[in-house]
Amino acid sequence: MAAEGSSSIDALGQFQLHPALGFIGGSVNFTQANLMMVVSGIGILALLWFGMRPRAMVPGRLQAAAELSYDTLLSMCLEQIGPEGRKYFPFVFTLFFFILFGNLLGVFPYFFTFTSHIAVTLALALLVFVLVTTVAIQEHGWHFLSYFVPQGIPKVLLPLLVTIEVISYLSRIISLSVRLFANMMAGHVMLEVFGAFIIMLAGLGVLGYAPAGLSLALNTILIGFELLVAVLQAYVFAVLTCIYLHDAVHLH
Amino acid sequence: MRPASIMKLFPRIVSLAGAGLGASLLLPAAAKAEGMPQLDFTTPLTISQVIWGTIIFVVLYRLLSRNALPLVSSVLEERAAKISHDLDGARAAKARADAGVEEANEATAKARAEAQHAINAAVEEAKKAAAAQAEILNARLEKQLADSEAQIAAARASAMKALRQVATETAATVVTRLTGVSPNTGRLDGAIGSALSARGIA
């Protein structure tokens, strides 16, 4: 996130991928995004592992956090999907915390936000899409196709509506992936731009101090806003996955 | 549609994010004239990060679903079992306490009834004894009264007899003194008897 020069703003350079872990990472094209994924995964596992290790009847802070994360995600699955949600709970839990930790770690300076890459979010959305479609076919067989046929509709309109339904079903991939990617990228671009403003304006001399301070204040607020967006987007992704799974299990 | 309703919840966030994205694209003067690194497919890293990401995600999923999440659920189940067990114990203790209270109440009521009964019996007995004593006393008093009355009657009878004698002798003496002649006892006796009967004494 550090601004490069004082005369130009390189807002997109922060999204550039580099090989991580030196020579070994370079030889297998292991990027800093993947390193952040590993850090996120270790973070989730550490939260559950060290949180639950005391196995206390009355949980301490860390155990309460671990239990809260479990309970929140489980109740979300059960509420959105129904009793069958328990089966998909580990997947939704993994998805939510993978994205959440990715988003939150990205707010730290010099850390990379892997959810700001459309390729990554598209892969996650495709994973959800494939899972949902597989579940629907497993549960209902060919009857699954009736999902695209709205009921109580005149026969004349049927081809048009089926087309629209299929398109809206397929567009889930785009909406899921672009929503997360755009939110994360936009936030980090804004942070970068205002960060660069601070340096550029402060370099102008006494006249620039006030607007530079204003930019700094704005960036401070933006960081708080980014934390909100990080949680919110992970939540939206997980909730939408649950809703799609509900549709797959129950067909409407 | 539900996704649409979800999105309605966050219109400000979406618009702000859109503004941010717009701002980032509307800074061509400052920004370098290059495309988004996210869409740069000339470098193999864009695709390789997805492949590595898939591996990491799958490993994470397996670790979470097989180790970490069962660990959490086992602790939660343990706690739920302990709580329900303790609740059952508390319920049993309460039932025992209730039974004890009931028993104590019953015993108290029984003791009270017994005491009342004993009191009633004692009072009854005392009353009976008092009544018997009073009867005995009454009988004695009555007997004494009858005895006394008999004595009085005897005394009176003897007194009356003596009165007639005294009256006869006195009358004879008086007549003898006055007349110098001793009176006829028969006539005198009759006169005294009629005088006494006239006075209601004989």
Side-chain angles (χ1 to χ4, degrees), chain B residues 60-73:
Chain B
L60 180 65
Y61 173 74
R62 290 182 83 114
L63 282 174
L64 280 174
S65 64
R66 294 197 181 172
N67 299 74
L69 293 176
L71 176 71
V72 182
S73 72

Side-chain angles (χ1 to χ4, degrees), chain A residues 28-29 34 57 67 116 189, chain B residues 24 38 48-49 52 73 79:
Chain A
V28 290
N29 282 342
N34 301 128
M57 269 304 138
E67 285 178 14
S116 67
V189 165
Chain B
S24 73
Q38 287 96 325
S48 76
Q49 68 163 346
W52 277 112
S73 72
R79 178 175 310 143

Side-chain angles (χ1 to χ4, degrees), chain B residues 144-158:
Chain B
Q144 271 178 354
L145 205 59
D147 284 355
S148 307
E149 267 171 8
Q151 266 176 353
I152 288 167
R156 190 189 161 102
S158 68

Side-chain angles (χ1 to χ4, degrees), chain B residues 104-117:
Chain B
N105 279 348
E106 232 164 64
T108 309
K110 205 174 148 199
R112 189 172 292 141
E114 264 171 21
Q116 196 61 46
H117 192 72

